[in-house]
Coordinates of all heavy atoms in Angstrom, one line a residue:
M1 N 40.6 -46.4 -30.2 CA 40.8 -45.0 -30.4 C 39.6 -44.2 -30.1 O 38.5 -44.7 -30.4 CB 41.3 -44.7 -31.8 CG 42.6 -45.5 -32.1 SD 44.0 -45.1 -31.0 CE 44.5 -43.4 -31.6
V2 N 39.7 -43.0 -29.5 CA 38.6 -42.2 -29.2 C 38.8 -40.7 -29.7 O 40.0 -40.2 -29.6 CB 38.4 -42.1 -27.7 CG1 37.2 -41.2 -27.3 CG2 38.2 -43.5 -27.1
K3 N 37.8 -40.1 -30.3 CA 37.9 -38.7 -30.6 C 37.6 -37.8 -29.4 O 36.5 -38.0 -28.8 CB 36.9 -38.4 -31.8 CG 37.4 -39.1 -33.1 CD 36.3 -38.9 -34.1 CE 35.3 -40.0 -33.9 NZ 34.3 -40.3 -34.8
V4 N 38.5 -36.9 -29.1 CA 38.2 -36.0 -28.0 C 38.5 -34.5 -28.4 O 39.2 -34.3 -29.4 CB 39.0 -36.3 -26.7 CG1 38.8 -37.7 -26.3 CG2 40.5 -36.1 -27.0
K5 N 37.9 -33.6 -27.6 CA 38.2 -32.2 -27.8 C 39.0 -31.9 -26.5 O 38.4 -32.0 -25.4 CB 37.0 -31.4 -27.9 CG 37.3 -29.9 -28.3 CD 36.0 -29.2 -28.6 CE 36.3 -27.9 -29.2 NZ 35.1 -27.2 -29.5
R6 N 40.2 -31.5 -26.6 CA 41.1 -31.2 -25.5 C 41.8 -29.9 -25.8 O 42.5 -29.8 -26.8 CB 42.2 -32.3 -25.3 CG 43.1 -32.2 -24.1 CD 44.1 -33.2 -24.0 NE 43.5 -34.5 -23.6 CZ 44.2 -35.7 -23.5 NH1 45.5 -35.7 -23.9 NH2 43.6 -36.8 -23.1
D7 N 41.7 -29.0 -24.9 CA 42.4 -27.6 -25.0 C 42.0 -27.0 -26.3 O 42.8 -26.4 -27.0 CB 43.9 -27.8 -24.9 CG 44.4 -28.3 -23.6 OD1 43.7 -27.9 -22.6 OD2 45.3 -29.0 -23.5
G8 N 40.7 -27.2 -26.7 CA 40.2 -26.5 -28.0 C 40.6 -27.2 -29.2 O 40.2 -26.8 -30.3
Q9 N 41.3 -28.3 -29.2 CA 41.7 -29.1 -30.4 C 41.1 -30.4 -30.4 O 40.8 -31.0 -29.4 CB 43.2 -29.3 -30.4 CG 44.0 -28.0 -30.5 CD 45.5 -28.3 -30.5 OE1 45.9 -29.5 -30.5 NE2 46.3 -27.3 -30.5
K10 N 40.7 -30.9 -31.6 CA 40.1 -32.2 -31.8 C 41.3 -33.2 -32.0 O 42.1 -33.0 -32.9 CB 39.2 -32.3 -33.0 CG 37.9 -31.5 -32.8 CD 37.0 -31.6 -33.9 CE 35.7 -30.8 -33.6 NZ 34.8 -30.9 -34.8
L11 N 41.3 -34.2 -31.2 CA 42.4 -35.2 -31.3 C 41.8 -36.6 -31.3 O 40.7 -36.8 -30.9 CB 43.3 -35.2 -30.0 CG 43.9 -33.8 -29.7 CD1 44.5 -33.8 -28.3 CD2 44.9 -33.4 -30.7
E12 N 42.6 -37.6 -31.7 CA 42.2 -39.0 -31.7 C 43.2 -39.7 -30.8 O 44.5 -39.7 -31.1 CB 42.2 -39.6 -33.0 CG 41.5 -41.0 -33.0 CD 41.1 -41.5 -34.4 OE1 40.8 -40.7 -35.2 OE2 41.0 -42.7 -34.5
I13 N 42.8 -40.2 -29.6 CA 43.7 -40.8 -28.7 C 43.3 -42.2 -28.3 O 42.1 -42.6 -28.6 CB 43.8 -39.9 -27.4 CG1 42.5 -39.8 -26.7 CG2 44.4 -38.5 -27.7 CD1 42.5 -39.1 -25.4
K14 N 44.1 -42.9 -27.6 CA 43.7 -44.2 -27.0 C 42.7 -43.9 -25.9 O 42.9 -43.0 -25.1 CB 44.9 -45.0 -26.5 CG 45.9 -45.4 -27.6 CD 47.1 -46.1 -27.0 CE 48.1 -46.5 -28.0 NZ 49.2 -47.1 -27.4
S15 N 41.8 -44.8 -25.8 CA 40.7 -44.6 -24.7 C 41.5 -44.6 -23.3 O 40.9 -44.0 -22.4 CB 39.7 -45.6 -24.7 OG 40.2 -47.0 -24.6
S16 N 42.5 -45.3 -23.1 CA 43.2 -45.4 -21.8 C 43.9 -44.0 -21.5 O 44.3 -43.8 -20.4 CB 44.3 -46.4 -21.9 OG 45.3 -46.2 -22.9
E17 N 44.0 -43.1 -22.4 CA 44.6 -41.8 -22.2 C 43.6 -40.7 -22.0 O 44.0 -39.5 -21.8 CB 45.5 -41.4 -23.5 CG 46.6 -42.4 -23.7 CD 47.4 -42.0 -25.0 OE1 46.9 -41.2 -25.8 OE2 48.4 -42.8 -25.2
I18 N 42.3 -41.0 -21.9 CA 41.3 -40.1 -21.6 C 41.5 -39.6 -20.2 O 41.8 -40.4 -19.2 CB 39.9 -40.7 -21.7 CG1 39.6 -41.0 -23.2 CG2 38.8 -39.7 -21.2 CD1 38.3 -41.7 -23.4
V19 N 41.3 -38.2 -19.9 CA 41.5 -37.7 -18.6 C 40.3 -36.9 -18.3 O 39.5 -36.5 -19.2 CB 42.8 -36.8 -18.5 CG1 44.1 -37.6 -18.7 CG2 42.8 -35.6 -19.5
V20 N 40.1 -36.6 -17.0 CA 39.0 -35.7 -16.6 C 39.1 -34.4 -17.3 O 40.2 -33.8 -17.4 CB 39.0 -35.5 -15.0 CG1 38.0 -34.5 -14.6 CG2 38.9 -36.8 -14.3
G21 N 38.0 -33.9 -17.8 CA 38.0 -32.6 -18.6 C 38.0 -32.8 -20.1 O 37.7 -31.9 -20.8
D22 N 38.3 -34.0 -20.6 CA 38.3 -34.3 -22.0 C 36.8 -34.3 -22.4 O 36.0 -34.9 -21.6 CB 38.9 -35.6 -22.4 CG 40.4 -35.6 -22.5 OD1 41.0 -34.5 -22.5 OD2 41.0 -36.7 -22.4
V23 N 36.4 -33.8 -23.6 CA 35.1 -33.9 -24.1 C 35.2 -35.0 -25.2 O 36.0 -34.8 -26.2 CB 34.6 -32.6 -24.7 CG1 33.3 -32.7 -25.4 CG2 34.6 -31.5 -23.6
I24 N 34.4 -36.1 -25.1 CA 34.4 -37.1 -26.0 C 33.5 -36.8 -27.1 O 32.3 -36.5 -26.8 CB 34.1 -38.5 -25.3 CG1 35.1 -38.8 -24.2 CG2 34.1 -39.6 -26.3 CD1 34.7 -39.9 -23.3
L25 N 33.9 -37.0 -28.3 CA 33.0 -36.8 -29.5 C 32.6 -38.1 -30.1 O 33.5 -38.9 -30.4 CB 33.8 -36.0 -30.6 CG 34.4 -34.6 -30.1 CD1 35.3 -34.0 -31.1 CD2 33.3 -33.7 -29.6
V26 N 31.4 -38.3 -30.2 CA 30.8 -39.6 -30.7 C 29.8 -39.4 -31.8 O 29.2 -38.4 -31.9 CB 30.2 -40.5 -29.6 CG1 31.2 -40.8 -28.5 CG2 29.0 -39.8 -29.0
E27 N 29.8 -40.4 -32.7 CA 28.7 -40.4 -33.8 C 28.4 -41.8 -34.1 O 29.0 -42.8 -33.6 CB 29.3 -39.7 -35.0 CG 30.6 -40.3 -35.6 CD 31.2 -39.4 -36.7 OE1 31.2 -38.2 -36.5 OE2 31.7 -40.0 -37.6
A28 N 27.3 -42.0 -34.9 CA 26.8 -43.3 -35.2 C 28.0 -44.2 -35.6 O 28.9 -43.9 -36.4 CB 25.8 -43.2 -36.4
G29 N 28.0 -45.5 -35.0 CA 29.0 -46.5 -35.3 C 30.1 -46.5 -34.3 O 30.9 -47.5 -34.3
D30 N 30.3 -45.5 -33.5 CA 31.4 -45.4 -32.5 C 31.0 -46.2 -31.3 O 29.9 -46.3 -30.9 CB 31.7 -44.0 -32.1 CG 32.3 -43.1 -33.1 OD1 32.7 -43.6 -34.2 OD2 32.3 -41.9 -32.9
V31 N 32.1 -46.8 -30.7 CA 32.0 -47.5 -29.4 C 32.4 -46.4 -28.4 O 33.5 -45.8 -28.6 CB 32.8 -48.7 -29.3 CG1 32.8 -49.3 -27.9 CG2 32.4 -49.8 -30.3
I32 N 31.6 -46.2 -27.4 CA 31.9 -45.1 -26.4 C 33.1 -45.6 -25.5 O 33.1 -46.7 -25.0 CB 30.7 -44.8 -25.6 CG1 29.6 -44.2 -26.5 CG2 31.1 -43.8 -24.4 CD1 28.3 -44.0 -25.9
G33 N 34.1 -44.7 -25.4 CA 35.4 -45.1 -24.8 C 35.5 -44.9 -23.3 O 36.4 -45.4 -22.7
A34 N 34.5 -44.1 -22.7 CA 34.6 -43.9 -21.3 C 33.1 -43.4 -20.8 O 32.4 -42.9 -21.7 CB 35.6 -42.7 -21.0
D35 N 32.9 -43.7 -19.6 CA 31.6 -43.2 -19.1 C 31.6 -41.6 -19.1 O 32.7 -41.1 -18.9 CB 31.4 -43.7 -17.6 CG 31.3 -45.1 -17.4 OD1 31.1 -45.8 -18.5 OD2 31.3 -45.6 -16.3
G36 N 30.4 -41.1 -19.3 CA 30.4 -39.6 -19.3 C 29.0 -39.1 -19.3 O 28.0 -39.7 -19.6
R37 N 28.9 -37.8 -19.0 CA 27.7 -37.0 -19.0 C 27.6 -36.3 -20.3 O 28.5 -35.8 -20.9 CB 27.6 -36.0 -17.9 CG 26.3 -35.3 -17.8 CD 26.1 -34.5 -16.5 NE 26.4 -35.2 -15.3 CZ 25.7 -36.1 -14.7 NH1 24.5 -36.4 -15.1 NH2 26.1 -36.6 -13.5
I38 N 26.4 -36.3 -20.9 CA 26.1 -35.7 -22.2 C 26.0 -34.2 -22.1 O 25.2 -33.7 -21.3 CB 24.9 -36.3 -22.9 CG1 25.1 -37.8 -23.1 CG2 24.6 -35.5 -24.2 CD1 23.8 -38.5 -23.5
L39 N 26.8 -33.4 -22.8 CA 26.8 -32.0 -22.8 C 25.9 -31.5 -24.0 O 25.2 -30.5 -23.8 CB 28.2 -31.4 -22.9 CG 29.2 -31.8 -21.9 CD1 30.6 -31.3 -22.2 CD2 28.7 -31.4 -20.5
E40 N 26.0 -32.1 -25.1 CA 25.2 -31.8 -26.3 C 24.9 -33.1 -27.0 O 25.7 -34.0 -27.1 CB 25.9 -30.8 -27.2 CG 26.1 -29.4 -26.8 CD 26.8 -28.6 -27.9 OE1 27.1 -29.1 -28.9 OE2 27.0 -27.4 -27.6
S41 N 23.7 -33.1 -27.6 CA 23.3 -34.3 -28.4 C 22.5 -33.9 -29.6 O 21.7 -32.9 -29.5 CB 22.7 -35.4 -27.6 OG 21.4 -35.0 -27.2
Y42 N 22.6 -34.7 -30.7 CA 21.8 -34.4 -31.9 C 21.2 -35.8 -32.3 O 22.0 -36.6 -32.9 CB 22.6 -33.8 -33.0 CG 23.2 -32.5 -32.6 CD1 24.5 -32.4 -32.0 CD2 22.4 -31.3 -32.6 CE1 25.0 -31.2 -31.6 CE2 23.0 -30.1 -32.2 CZ 24.2 -30.1 -31.7 OH 24.8 -28.9 -31.2
S43 N 20.0 -36.1 -32.0 CA 19.3 -37.4 -32.3 C 20.1 -38.6 -31.9 O 20.2 -39.6 -32.5 CB 19.1 -37.4 -33.8 OG 18.3 -36.3 -34.3
L44 N 20.7 -38.4 -30.7 CA 21.6 -39.5 -30.2 C 20.8 -40.7 -29.6 O 19.9 -40.6 -28.8 CB 22.5 -39.0 -29.1 CG 23.5 -39.8 -28.4 CD1 24.5 -40.3 -29.5 CD2 24.2 -39.3 -27.3
K45 N 21.1 -41.9 -30.1 CA 20.5 -43.1 -29.6 C 21.7 -44.1 -29.4 O 22.6 -44.2 -30.2 CB 19.6 -43.8 -30.7 CG 18.3 -43.0 -30.8 CD 17.3 -43.7 -31.7 CE 16.1 -42.9 -31.7 NZ 14.9 -43.7 -32.1
V46 N 21.7 -44.8 -28.3 CA 22.8 -45.6 -27.9 C 22.3 -47.0 -27.6 O 21.2 -47.2 -27.0 CB 23.5 -45.1 -26.6 CG1 24.6 -46.0 -26.1 CG2 24.1 -43.7 -26.9
N47 N 23.0 -48.1 -28.1 CA 22.7 -49.4 -27.8 C 23.4 -49.8 -26.5 O 24.6 -50.0 -26.5 CB 23.1 -50.3 -28.9 CG 22.8 -51.8 -28.7 OD1 22.8 -52.3 -27.6 ND2 22.4 -52.5 -29.8
E48 N 22.6 -50.0 -25.5 CA 23.2 -50.3 -24.1 C 22.9 -51.8 -23.7 O 22.9 -52.1 -22.5 CB 22.6 -49.4 -23.1 CG 23.0 -47.9 -23.2 CD 22.4 -47.0 -22.2 OE1 21.4 -47.4 -21.5 OE2 22.9 -45.9 -22.1
S49 N 22.6 -52.6 -24.7 CA 22.3 -54.0 -24.4 C 23.3 -54.7 -23.7 O 23.0 -55.6 -22.9 CB 21.9 -54.8 -25.7 OG 23.0 -54.7 -26.6
S50 N 24.6 -54.4 -23.8 CA 25.7 -55.0 -23.1 C 25.6 -54.8 -21.5 O 26.1 -55.5 -20.7 CB 27.0 -54.6 -23.6 OG 27.2 -53.2 -23.5
L51 N 24.9 -53.6 -21.2 CA 24.7 -53.2 -19.8 C 23.4 -53.7 -19.2 O 23.3 -54.2 -18.1 CB 24.9 -51.8 -19.6 CG 26.2 -51.1 -19.9 CD1 26.1 -49.6 -19.7 CD2 27.3 -51.7 -19.0
T52 N 22.3 -53.4 -20.0 CA 21.0 -53.6 -19.4 C 20.3 -54.8 -20.0 O 19.2 -55.2 -19.4 CB 20.1 -52.3 -19.8 OG1 20.0 -52.3 -21.2 CG2 20.8 -51.1 -19.2
G53 N 20.7 -55.3 -21.0 CA 20.0 -56.5 -21.6 C 18.9 -56.1 -22.6 O 18.3 -56.9 -23.2
E54 N 18.5 -54.8 -22.6 CA 17.5 -54.3 -23.4 C 17.9 -54.3 -24.9 O 19.1 -54.0 -25.2 CB 17.1 -52.9 -23.1 CG 16.6 -52.7 -21.7 CD 15.2 -52.2 -21.7 OE1 14.6 -51.9 -22.7 OE2 14.7 -52.1 -20.5
S55 N 17.1 -54.8 -25.8 CA 17.4 -55.0 -27.2 C 17.1 -53.7 -28.0 O 17.6 -53.6 -29.1 CB 16.7 -56.1 -27.8 OG 15.3 -55.9 -27.7
T56 N 16.5 -52.7 -27.4 CA 16.1 -51.5 -28.2 C 17.2 -50.4 -27.9 O 17.8 -50.4 -26.8 CB 14.7 -51.0 -27.8 OG1 14.7 -50.7 -26.4 CG2 13.7 -52.0 -28.2
N57 N 17.4 -49.5 -28.8 CA 18.3 -48.4 -28.6 C 17.6 -47.4 -27.7 O 16.4 -47.2 -27.6 CB 18.6 -47.7 -29.9 CG 19.4 -48.6 -30.9 OD1 20.1 -49.5 -30.4 ND2 19.1 -48.6 -32.2
V58 N 18.5 -46.7 -26.9 CA 18.0 -45.7 -25.9 C 18.3 -44.3 -26.5 O 19.3 -43.9 -26.8 CB 18.8 -45.9 -24.6 CG1 18.3 -44.9 -23.5 CG2 18.6 -47.4 -24.1
D59 N 17.1 -43.5 -26.4 CA 17.3 -42.1 -26.8 C 18.0 -41.4 -25.6 O 17.7 -41.5 -24.5 CB 15.9 -41.4 -26.9 CG 15.1 -41.9 -28.1 OD1 15.7 -42.0 -29.1 OD2 13.9 -42.2 -28.0
K60 N 19.0 -40.6 -26.1 CA 19.9 -39.9 -25.0 C 19.6 -38.4 -25.2 O 19.3 -37.8 -26.3 CB 21.3 -40.2 -25.3 CG 21.7 -41.7 -24.9 CD 21.5 -41.9 -23.5 CE 21.9 -43.3 -23.1 NZ 22.0 -43.5 -21.6
S61 N 19.8 -37.6 -24.1 CA 19.6 -36.2 -24.1 C 20.5 -35.6 -23.1 O 20.9 -36.2 -22.1 CB 18.2 -35.9 -23.8 OG 17.9 -34.6 -23.5
E62 N 20.8 -34.3 -23.3 CA 21.6 -33.6 -22.3 C 20.7 -33.1 -21.1 O 21.2 -32.4 -20.1 CB 22.3 -32.4 -22.9 CG 21.5 -31.3 -23.5 CD 21.1 -31.6 -24.9 OE1 21.3 -32.6 -25.5 OE2 20.4 -30.6 -25.5
D63 N 19.4 -33.3 -21.1 CA 18.5 -32.8 -20.1 C 18.9 -33.4 -18.7 O 19.3 -34.6 -18.5 CB 17.1 -33.2 -20.3 CG 16.5 -32.6 -21.6 OD1 17.1 -31.6 -22.1 OD2 15.6 -33.2 -22.2
A64 N 18.8 -32.6 -17.7 CA 19.2 -33.0 -16.3 C 18.1 -33.9 -15.8 O 16.9 -33.8 -16.1 CB 19.2 -31.7 -15.4
I65 N 18.5 -34.8 -14.9 CA 17.5 -35.8 -14.3 C 17.3 -35.2 -12.9 O 18.3 -34.9 -12.1 CB 18.2 -37.2 -14.2 CG1 18.3 -37.7 -15.7 CG2 17.3 -38.1 -13.4 CD1 19.0 -39.0 -15.8
E66 N 16.1 -35.1 -12.5 CA 15.7 -34.4 -11.2 C 15.8 -35.4 -10.0 O 15.8 -34.8 -8.9 CB 14.3 -33.9 -11.3 CG 14.1 -32.8 -12.4 CD 14.9 -31.6 -12.2 OE1 15.0 -31.2 -11.0 OE2 15.4 -30.9 -13.2
E67 N 15.7 -36.6 -10.2 CA 15.7 -37.5 -9.1 C 16.6 -38.7 -9.3 O 17.2 -38.9 -10.4 CB 14.3 -38.0 -8.9 CG 13.7 -38.7 -10.1 CD 12.2 -38.9 -10.0 OE1 11.5 -37.9 -9.7 OE2 11.7 -40.0 -10.3
E68 N 16.8 -39.5 -8.3 CA 17.6 -40.8 -8.4 C 17.0 -41.6 -9.5 O 15.8 -41.8 -9.5 CB 17.6 -41.5 -7.1 CG 18.6 -42.6 -6.9 CD 20.1 -42.1 -6.9 OE1 20.2 -40.9 -6.4 OE2 20.9 -42.8 -7.3
A69 N 17.9 -42.2 -10.4 CA 17.4 -42.9 -11.5 C 18.3 -44.2 -11.6 O 19.5 -44.2 -11.4 CB 17.5 -42.1 -12.8
A70 N 17.6 -45.2 -12.1 CA 18.3 -46.5 -12.3 C 19.2 -46.3 -13.5 O 19.0 -45.4 -14.3 CB 17.3 -47.6 -12.6
L71 N 20.2 -47.2 -13.7 CA 21.1 -47.1 -14.8 C 20.4 -46.9 -16.1 O 20.8 -46.1 -16.9 CB 22.0 -48.4 -14.8 CG 23.0 -48.5 -15.9 CD1 24.1 -47.5 -15.8 CD2 23.6 -49.9 -16.0
A72 N 19.4 -47.7 -16.4 CA 18.8 -47.7 -17.7 C 18.0 -46.4 -17.9 O 17.6 -46.1 -19.0 CB 17.8 -48.9 -17.8
D73 N 17.7 -45.7 -16.9 CA 16.9 -44.5 -16.9 C 17.7 -43.2 -17.0 O 17.2 -42.1 -17.0 CB 15.9 -44.4 -15.8 CG 14.9 -45.5 -15.8 OD1 14.6 -46.0 -16.9 OD2 14.4 -45.9 -14.8
R74 N 19.0 -43.3 -17.0 CA 19.9 -42.1 -17.0 C 20.2 -41.7 -18.4 O 21.2 -42.0 -19.0 CB 21.2 -42.4 -16.2 CG 21.0 -42.7 -14.8 CD 22.2 -43.2 -14.1 NE 22.0 -43.6 -12.7 CZ 22.8 -44.2 -12.0 NH1 24.1 -44.4 -12.4 NH2 22.5 -44.6 -10.8
I75 N 19.2 -40.9 -18.9 CA 19.2 -40.6 -20.3 C 20.3 -39.6 -20.6 O 20.6 -39.3 -21.8 CB 17.9 -40.1 -20.8 CG1 17.5 -38.8 -20.0 CG2 16.8 -41.1 -20.7 CD1 16.3 -38.1 -20.7
N76 N 20.9 -38.9 -19.6 CA 22.0 -38.0 -19.9 C 23.4 -38.5 -19.6 O 24.3 -37.7 -19.5 CB 21.7 -36.7 -19.0 CG 21.8 -37.0 -17.5 OD1 21.9 -38.1 -17.0 ND2 21.9 -35.9 -16.7
M77 N 23.5 -39.8 -19.6 CA 24.8 -40.4 -19.4 C 25.1 -41.5 -20.5 O 24.1 -42.0 -21.1 CB 24.8 -41.2 -18.1 CG 24.7 -40.3 -16.8 SD 26.1 -39.3 -16.5 CE 27.3 -40.5 -16.1
V78 N 26.4 -41.6 -20.9 CA 26.8 -42.7 -21.7 C 27.8 -43.5 -21.0 O 28.5 -43.1 -20.1 CB 27.4 -42.1 -23.1 CG1 26.3 -41.4 -23.9 CG2 28.5 -41.2 -22.9
Y79 N 27.9 -44.8 -21.5 CA 28.7 -45.7 -20.7 C 29.8 -46.4 -21.6 O 29.4 -46.8 -22.8 CB 27.9 -46.8 -20.1 CG 26.9 -46.1 -19.1 CD1 25.6 -45.9 -19.5 CD2 27.3 -45.7 -17.8 CE1 24.7 -45.2 -18.6 CE2 26.5 -45.0 -17.0 CZ 25.2 -44.8 -17.4 OH 24.3 -44.1 -16.5
S80 N 30.9 -46.6 -21.1 CA 32.0 -47.2 -21.8 C 31.6 -48.6 -22.4 O 31.0 -49.4 -21.7 CB 33.2 -47.4 -20.9 OG 34.3 -48.0 -21.6
G81 N 32.0 -48.8 -23.6 CA 31.7 -50.1 -24.3 C 30.4 -50.2 -25.0 O 30.1 -51.2 -25.7
T82 N 29.5 -49.2 -24.9 CA 28.2 -49.2 -25.5 C 28.4 -48.6 -26.9 O 29.4 -47.9 -27.2 CB 27.1 -48.5 -24.7 OG1 27.5 -47.1 -24.5 CG2 26.9 -49.2 -23.4
L83 N 27.4 -48.8 -27.8 CA 27.6 -48.5 -29.2 C 26.6 -47.3 -29.6 O 25.4 -47.4 -29.2 CB 27.2 -49.7 -30.1 CG 27.2 -49.5 -31.6 CD1 28.6 -49.2 -32.1 CD2 26.6 -50.7 -32.3
V84 N 27.1 -46.3 -30.3 CA 26.3 -45.2 -30.7 C 25.5 -45.7 -32.0 O 26.2 -46.1 -33.0 CB 27.1 -44.0 -31.1 CG1 26.2 -42.9 -31.6 CG2 27.9 -43.5 -29.9
A85 N 24.2 -45.8 -31.9 CA 23.4 -46.4 -33.0 C 23.0 -45.3 -34.0 O 22.8 -45.6 -35.2 CB 22.2 -47.1 -32.4
Q86 N 22.8 -44.1 -33.5 CA 22.4 -43.0 -34.3 C 22.7 -41.6 -33.7 O 22.9 -41.5 -32.5 CB 20.8 -43.1 -34.4 CG 20.2 -41.9 -35.2 CD 18.7 -42.1 -35.2 OE1 18.1 -43.2 -35.2 NE2 17.9 -41.0 -35.1
G87 N 22.9 -40.6 -34.5 CA 23.2 -39.3 -34.1 C 24.6 -39.1 -33.6 O 25.5 -39.8 -33.9
R88 N 24.8 -38.0 -32.9 CA 26.1 -37.5 -32.4 C 25.9 -36.8 -31.1 O 24.8 -36.3 -30.8 CB 26.9 -36.8 -33.4 CG 26.3 -35.6 -33.9 CD 27.1 -34.9 -35.0 NE 26.5 -33.9 -35.7 CZ 26.7 -32.6 -35.3 NH1 27.6 -32.3 -34.5 NH2 26.0 -31.6 -35.9

C-alpha cells in the first residue's frame, strides 16, 4: 500500500494502482512504491542498498541536477523498493 495525493485528496492505494500525476507521500519506515522525482523533502534519507550496494543512507533533495548523473548520484530521485530511513 502507498500513500498518494490525487486530485487534492490523500488516499492509500495499492502500488500497482499508481498513475502518472500521483504525488507519493513517504515518511521514515515506508518502502517507496514507485520511481519518482522529489518535489519536496524534509531531512529525507533513503536506504538504496538494494540498488547500489552502498550500506549508508543517501541524503535526498528536490534540487535539480545540472548534468548527467549515475544512479547513485541522482539525489532528486527515489526508486521503487527502497526504504525511507529518515524524514519525509
Side-chain angles (χ1 to χ4, degrees):
M1 300 301 285
V2 178
K3 292 172 274 190
V4 298
K5 190 171 188 180
R6 183 185 285 175
D7 298 325
Q9 297 182 3
K10 291 182 181 178
L11 306 168
E12 192 164 333
I13 62 173
K14 294 179 182 178
S15 60
S16 61
E17 296 174 355
I18 294 173
V19 297
V20 174
D22 283 342
V23 175
I24 300 170
L25 307 170
V26 297
E27 57 188 40
D30 289 349
V31 173
I32 296 175
D35 294 351
R37 185 169 312 279
I38 298 171
L39 302 175
E40 289 182 2
S41 67
Y42 302 95
S43 302
L44 184 62
K45 292 188 178 202
V46 177
N47 182 321
E48 296 181 343
S49 60
S50 61
L51 295 177
T52 64
E54 299 245 356
S55 61
T56 59
N57 296 327
V58 179
D59 290 316
K60 294 292 185 169
S61 168
E62 64 272 7
D63 297 337
I65 297 174
E66 299 296 325
E67 56 194 52
E68 193 69 26
L71 177 70
D73 296 330
R74 296 177 189 171
I75 62 166
N76 64 349
M77 298 289 294
V78 292
Y79 302 99
S80 181
T82 58
L83 176 69
V84 179
Q86 176 182 321
R88 58 185 173 100

